[in-house]
Amino acid sequence: MTPSRRPKRGQASKLTQSRLTDAFDCFGEGFVLWDAEDRLELCNRKYREFFAISADLMVRGGSFEEILRAAVARGQYPSAKDDPEGWIKVVLERRLEAAGSSELQLADRWLHVTNRRTSDGGIVGILSDITERIKHEEILSERETRLRSLMANMPGGIYRCRADWTEV
């Protein structure tokens, strides 16, 4: 690129930001980047879809705590229903670690969340929708409970044998 065609510094920064946002929107998972002061730097379209109830609050520079409190008030987190302040306190304390992964229940889905600290003290998060897996696990658990109940309440015993009726 010739010097006359090269974008100016501010234009280049906006172009880079736009290209990064476009690239992250191609992911099948949610992506979010918070700065060292826990203010939103960047999130992709999937992240906004996951948190649709509070997506309008996700603007660059928005505080994690403010967004969290507004989302709780809007009913985005079912587990915060009984004790919103207690739930928020636990989330904020856990956030200080920003390491590892966890499962998060939203009003309409379950997410697997992995957070990591960046070298400058920010937090990067990757979120995957695990709703179908959770539903399958619940179905399996219910079936196991019914089978155990059936086995415990069967009159007589159960004999395990081979096709020729010999003991296993």
Side-chain angles (χ1 to χ4, degrees):
M1 203 177 267
T2 64
S4 61
R5 296 188 66 201
R6 197 172 292 151
K8 293 183 180 161
R9 189 170 285 203
Q11 292 171 329
S13 177
K14 287 180 183 176
L15 180 62
T16 300
Q17 179 78 20
S18 176
R19 292 182 75 200
L20 277 174
T21 301
D22 186 46
F24 289 130
D25 280 343
C26 293
F27 288 172
E29 280 76 32
F31 174 87
V32 65
L33 177 63
W34 303 90
D35 69 15
E37 282 83 43
D38 224 6
R39 298 206 168 271
L40 183 63
E41 282 286 326
L42 176 71
C43 65
N44 69 352
R45 188 176 309 130
K46 195 66 162 180
Y47 186 86
R48 291 181 202 283
E49 286 174 20
F50 288 158
F51 297 96
I53 293 172
S54 58
D56 63 307
L57 305 170
M58 293 177 196
V59 294
R60 190 169 187 192
S63 155
F64 175 81
E65 184 173 352
E66 290 170 4
I67 294 169
L68 178 68
R69 287 183 178 282
V72 167
R74 294 178 181 185
Q76 186 162 294
Y77 302 100
S79 49
K81 191 179 201 178
D82 295 334
D83 180 15
E85 281 305 312
W87 188 86
I88 289 169
K89 182 181 177 186
V90 168
V91 169
L92 293 175
E93 286 171 359
R94 208 177 313 143
R95 188 155 177 84
L96 295 174
E97 299 168 21
S101 59
S102 61
E103 292 179 353
L104 176 65
Q105 183 181 14
L106 300 179
D108 62 343
R109 70 184 77 224
W110 280 87
L111 299 176
H112 180 263
V113 181
T114 303
N115 287 322
R116 297 280 187 258
R117 283 268 175 215
T118 60
S119 61
D120 65 353
I123 298 173
V124 64
I126 304 291
L127 299 88
S128 303
D129 190 335
I130 58 169
T131 306
E132 289 303 312
R133 191 194 87 200
I134 296 292
K135 285 179 183 176
H136 290 299
E137 287 174 1
E138 288 171 353
I139 290 168
L140 287 173
S141 178
E142 179 185 322
R143 288 179 180 169
E144 180 183 12
T145 300
R146 286 194 311 206
L147 180 60
R148 287 184 186 278
S149 175
L150 176 68
M151 299 298 281
N153 294 307
M154 270 186 109
I158 296 177
Y159 179 75
R160 190 168 171 216
C161 62
R162 293 186 180 92
D164 64 357
W165 293 98
T166 58
E167 191 173 335
V168 177

PDB file of all heavy atoms in Angstrom, residues 150-168:
ATOM      1  N   LEU A 150     -38.344 -49.170  39.887  1.00  0.00           N
ATOM      2  CA  LEU A 150     -38.949 -50.415  39.417  1.00  0.00           C
ATOM      3  C   LEU A 150     -38.211 -51.620  39.992  1.00  0.00           C
ATOM      4  O   LEU A 150     -38.842 -52.553  40.502  1.00  0.00           O
ATOM      5  CB  LEU A 150     -38.923 -50.459  37.888  1.00  0.00           C
ATOM      6  CG  LEU A 150     -39.420 -51.739  37.230  1.00  0.00           C
ATOM      7  CD1 LEU A 150     -40.922 -51.894  37.450  1.00  0.00           C
ATOM      8  CD2 LEU A 150     -39.098 -51.735  35.750  1.00  0.00           C
ATOM      9  N   MET A 151     -36.873 -51.570  39.954  1.00  0.00           N
ATOM     10  CA  MET A 151     -36.090 -52.695  40.453  1.00  0.00           C
ATOM     11  C   MET A 151     -36.274 -52.865  41.967  1.00  0.00           C
ATOM     12  O   MET A 151     -36.345 -53.980  42.470  1.00  0.00           O
ATOM     13  CB  MET A 151     -34.605 -52.474  40.143  1.00  0.00           C
ATOM     14  CG  MET A 151     -34.303 -52.366  38.656  1.00  0.00           C
ATOM     15  SD  MET A 151     -34.708 -53.839  37.738  1.00  0.00           S
ATOM     16  CE  MET A 151     -33.329 -54.845  38.120  1.00  0.00           C
ATOM     17  N   ALA A 152     -36.347 -51.762  42.684  1.00  0.00           N
ATOM     18  CA  ALA A 152     -36.474 -51.829  44.140  1.00  0.00           C
ATOM     19  C   ALA A 152     -37.850 -52.329  44.567  1.00  0.00           C
ATOM     20  O   ALA A 152     -37.998 -52.900  45.646  1.00  0.00           O
ATOM     21  CB  ALA A 152     -36.218 -50.450  44.745  1.00  0.00           C
ATOM     22  N   ASN A 153     -38.850 -52.134  43.730  1.00  0.00           N
ATOM     23  CA  ASN A 153     -40.216 -52.495  44.096  1.00  0.00           C
ATOM     24  C   ASN A 153     -40.738 -53.746  43.388  1.00  0.00           C
ATOM     25  O   ASN A 153     -41.930 -54.045  43.476  1.00  0.00           O
ATOM     26  CB  ASN A 153     -41.162 -51.321  43.811  1.00  0.00           C
ATOM     27  CG  ASN A 153     -40.863 -50.146  44.697  1.00  0.00           C
ATOM     28  OD1 ASN A 153     -40.814 -50.281  45.905  1.00  0.00           O
ATOM     29  ND2 ASN A 153     -40.621 -48.996  44.085  1.00  0.00           N
ATOM     30  N   MET A 154     -39.851 -54.475  42.724  1.00  0.00           N
ATOM     31  CA  MET A 154     -40.273 -55.700  42.032  1.00  0.00           C
ATOM     32  C   MET A 154     -40.516 -56.812  43.036  1.00  0.00           C
ATOM     33  O   MET A 154     -39.694 -57.028  43.923  1.00  0.00           O
ATOM     34  CB  MET A 154     -39.180 -56.168  41.066  1.00  0.00           C
ATOM     35  CG  MET A 154     -39.284 -55.626  39.687  1.00  0.00           C
ATOM     36  SD  MET A 154     -38.031 -56.426  38.685  1.00  0.00           S
ATOM     37  CE  MET A 154     -39.059 -57.450  37.690  1.00  0.00           C
ATOM     38  N   PRO A 155     -41.628 -57.488  42.900  1.00  0.00           N
ATOM     39  CA  PRO A 155     -41.806 -58.658  43.761  1.00  0.00           C
ATOM     40  C   PRO A 155     -40.865 -59.774  43.284  1.00  0.00           C
ATOM     41  O   PRO A 155     -40.687 -59.978  42.101  1.00  0.00           O
ATOM     42  CB  PRO A 155     -43.274 -59.039  43.540  1.00  0.00           C
ATOM     43  CG  PRO A 155     -43.650 -58.442  42.237  1.00  0.00           C
ATOM     44  CD  PRO A 155     -42.742 -57.266  42.012  1.00  0.00           C
ATOM     45  N   GLY A 156     -40.233 -60.413  44.201  1.00  0.00           N
ATOM     46  CA  GLY A 156     -39.310 -61.486  43.830  1.00  0.00           C
ATOM     47  C   GLY A 156     -37.951 -60.910  43.491  1.00  0.00           C
ATOM     48  O   GLY A 156     -37.628 -59.779  43.791  1.00  0.00           O
ATOM     49  N   GLY A 157     -37.173 -61.697  42.821  1.00  0.00           N
ATOM     50  CA  GLY A 157     -35.813 -61.264  42.510  1.00  0.00           C
ATOM     51  C   GLY A 157     -35.569 -61.255  41.020  1.00  0.00           C
ATOM     52  O   GLY A 157     -36.431 -61.587  40.217  1.00  0.00           O
ATOM     53  N   ILE A 158     -34.376 -60.897  40.678  1.00  0.00           N
ATOM     54  CA  ILE A 158     -33.963 -60.889  39.284  1.00  0.00           C
ATOM     55  C   ILE A 158     -32.804 -61.856  39.176  1.00  0.00           C
ATOM     56  O   ILE A 158     -31.875 -61.834  39.987  1.00  0.00           O
ATOM     57  CB  ILE A 158     -33.531 -59.482  38.847  1.00  0.00           C
ATOM     58  CG1 ILE A 158     -34.722 -58.531  38.915  1.00  0.00           C
ATOM     59  CG2 ILE A 158     -32.940 -59.512  37.451  1.00  0.00           C
ATOM     60  CD1 ILE A 158     -34.391 -57.115  38.574  1.00  0.00           C
ATOM     61  N   TYR A 159     -32.894 -62.700  38.179  1.00  0.00           N
ATOM     62  CA  TYR A 159     -31.858 -63.686  37.951  1.00  0.00           C
ATOM     63  C   TYR A 159     -31.210 -63.363  36.612  1.00  0.00           C
ATOM     64  O   TYR A 159     -31.885 -63.217  35.601  1.00  0.00           O
ATOM     65  CB  TYR A 159     -32.489 -65.084  37.935  1.00  0.00           C
ATOM     66  CG  TYR A 159     -31.512 -66.192  37.680  1.00  0.00           C
ATOM     67  CD1 TYR A 159     -30.645 -66.605  38.685  1.00  0.00           C
ATOM     68  CD2 TYR A 159     -31.466 -66.831  36.447  1.00  0.00           C
ATOM     69  CE1 TYR A 159     -29.745 -67.621  38.461  1.00  0.00           C
ATOM     70  CE2 TYR A 159     -30.569 -67.861  36.214  1.00  0.00           C
ATOM     71  CZ  TYR A 159     -29.703 -68.250  37.229  1.00  0.00           C
ATOM     72  OH  TYR A 159     -28.807 -69.253  37.019  1.00  0.00           O
ATOM     73  N   ARG A 160     -29.920 -63.220  36.604  1.00  0.00           N
ATOM     74  CA  ARG A 160     -29.190 -62.921  35.385  1.00  0.00           C
ATOM     75  C   ARG A 160     -28.582 -64.208  34.867  1.00  0.00           C
ATOM     76  O   ARG A 160     -27.853 -64.894  35.579  1.00  0.00           O
ATOM     77  CB  ARG A 160     -28.104 -61.897  35.696  1.00  0.00           C
ATOM     78  CG  ARG A 160     -27.460 -61.347  34.484  1.00  0.00           C
ATOM     79  CD  ARG A 160     -26.604 -60.140  34.835  1.00  0.00           C
ATOM     80  NE  ARG A 160     -25.830 -59.778  33.671  1.00  0.00           N
ATOM     81  CZ  ARG A 160     -24.616 -59.333  33.695  1.00  0.00           C
ATOM     82  NH1 ARG A 160     -24.012 -59.159  34.843  1.00  0.00           N
ATOM     83  NH2 ARG A 160     -23.982 -59.041  32.594  1.00  0.00           N
ATOM     84  N   CYS A 161     -28.890 -64.514  33.601  1.00  0.00           N
ATOM     85  CA  CYS A 161     -28.384 -65.762  33.028  1.00  0.00           C
ATOM     86  C   CYS A 161     -28.089 -65.599  31.548  1.00  0.00           C
ATOM     87  O   CYS A 161     -28.488 -64.639  30.922  1.00  0.00           O
ATOM     88  CB  CYS A 161     -29.373 -66.889  33.254  1.00  0.00           C
ATOM     89  SG  CYS A 161     -30.952 -66.625  32.460  1.00  0.00           S
ATOM     90  N   ARG A 162     -27.442 -66.642  31.030  1.00  0.00           N
ATOM     91  CA  ARG A 162     -27.163 -66.673  29.593  1.00  0.00           C
ATOM     92  C   ARG A 162     -28.382 -67.232  28.860  1.00  0.00           C
ATOM     93  O   ARG A 162     -29.349 -67.641  29.478  1.00  0.00           O
ATOM     94  CB  ARG A 162     -25.962 -67.596  29.344  1.00  0.00           C
ATOM     95  CG  ARG A 162     -24.671 -67.054  29.928  1.00  0.00           C
ATOM     96  CD  ARG A 162     -23.481 -67.947  29.521  1.00  0.00           C
ATOM     97  NE  ARG A 162     -22.261 -67.417  30.078  1.00  0.00           N
ATOM     98  CZ  ARG A 162     -21.750 -67.778  31.245  1.00  0.00           C
ATOM     99  NH1 ARG A 162     -22.332 -68.714  31.976  1.00  0.00           N
ATOM    100  NH2 ARG A 162     -20.632 -67.236  31.683  1.00  0.00           N
ATOM    101  N   ALA A 163     -28.317 -67.224  27.529  1.00  0.00           N
ATOM    102  CA  ALA A 163     -29.433 -67.708  26.721  1.00  0.00           C
ATOM    103  C   ALA A 163     -29.762 -69.167  27.006  1.00  0.00           C
ATOM    104  O   ALA A 163     -30.906 -69.596  26.868  1.00  0.00           O
ATOM    105  CB  ALA A 163     -29.122 -67.534  25.237  1.00  0.00           C
ATOM    106  N   ASP A 164     -28.778 -69.965  27.484  1.00  0.00           N
ATOM    107  CA  ASP A 164     -29.049 -71.379  27.783  1.00  0.00           C
ATOM    108  C   ASP A 164     -29.435 -71.576  29.264  1.00  0.00           C
ATOM    109  O   ASP A 164     -29.418 -72.674  29.765  1.00  0.00           O
ATOM    110  CB  ASP A 164     -27.818 -72.221  27.439  1.00  0.00           C
ATOM    111  CG  ASP A 164     -26.605 -71.881  28.282  1.00  0.00           C
ATOM    112  OD1 ASP A 164     -26.668 -70.947  29.113  1.00  0.00           O
ATOM    113  OD2 ASP A 164     -25.575 -72.549  28.110  1.00  0.00           O
ATOM    114  N   TRP A 165     -29.769 -70.531  29.953  1.00  0.00           N
ATOM    115  CA  TRP A 165     -30.236 -70.504  31.340  1.00  0.00           C
ATOM    116  C   TRP A 165     -29.166 -70.839  32.365  1.00  0.00           C
ATOM    117  O   TRP A 165     -29.444 -71.123  33.522  1.00  0.00           O
ATOM    118  CB  TRP A 165     -31.457 -71.398  31.538  1.00  0.00           C
ATOM    119  CG  TRP A 165     -32.633 -70.852  30.787  1.00  0.00           C
ATOM    120  CD1 TRP A 165     -33.076 -71.237  29.591  1.00  0.00           C
ATOM    121  CD2 TRP A 165     -33.509 -69.790  31.223  1.00  0.00           C
ATOM    122  NE1 TRP A 165     -34.164 -70.495  29.197  1.00  0.00           N
ATOM    123  CE2 TRP A 165     -34.467 -69.593  30.207  1.00  0.00           C
ATOM    124  CE3 TRP A 165     -33.572 -68.986  32.362  1.00  0.00           C
ATOM    125  CZ2 TRP A 165     -35.458 -68.646  30.280  1.00  0.00           C
ATOM    126  CZ3 TRP A 165     -34.580 -68.050  32.432  1.00  0.00           C
ATOM    127  CH2 TRP A 165     -35.505 -67.876  31.394  1.00  0.00           C
ATOM    128  N   THR A 166     -27.891 -70.794  31.955  1.00  0.00           N
ATOM    129  CA  THR A 166     -26.835 -71.000  32.931  1.00  0.00           C
ATOM    130  C   THR A 166     -26.491 -69.670  33.595  1.00  0.00           C
ATOM    131  O   THR A 166     -26.646 -68.607  32.985  1.00  0.00           O
ATOM    132  CB  THR A 166     -25.568 -71.587  32.284  1.00  0.00           C
ATOM    133  OG1 THR A 166     -25.127 -70.700  31.242  1.00  0.00           O
ATOM    134  CG2 THR A 166     -25.826 -72.970  31.708  1.00  0.00           C
ATOM    135  N   GLU A 167     -26.048 -69.744  34.841  1.00  0.00           N
ATOM    136  CA  GLU A 167     -25.779 -68.526  35.595  1.00  0.00           C
ATOM    137  C   GLU A 167     -24.596 -67.754  34.998  1.00  0.00           C
ATOM    138  O   GLU A 167     -23.633 -68.332  34.520  1.00  0.00           O
ATOM    139  CB  GLU A 167     -25.449 -68.897  37.051  1.00  0.00           C
ATOM    140  CG  GLU A 167     -25.412 -67.712  37.958  1.00  0.00           C
ATOM    141  CD  GLU A 167     -25.256 -68.117  39.411  1.00  0.00           C
ATOM    142  OE1 GLU A 167     -25.631 -69.235  39.783  1.00  0.00           O
ATOM    143  OE2 GLU A 167     -24.750 -67.275  40.166  1.00  0.00           O
ATOM    144  N   VAL A 168     -24.698 -66.477  35.071  1.00  0.00           N
ATOM    145  CA  VAL A 168     -23.635 -65.596  34.557  1.00  0.00           C
ATOM    146  C   VAL A 168     -22.597 -65.394  35.613  1.00  0.00           C
ATOM    147  O   VAL A 168     -22.817 -65.275  36.754  1.00  0.00           O
ATOM    148  CB  VAL A 168     -24.235 -64.218  34.138  1.00  0.00           C
ATOM    149  CG1 VAL A 168     -23.124 -63.289  33.688  1.00  0.00           C
ATOM    150  CG2 VAL A 168     -25.242 -64.392  33.045  1.00  0.00           C
TER     151      VAL A 168
END
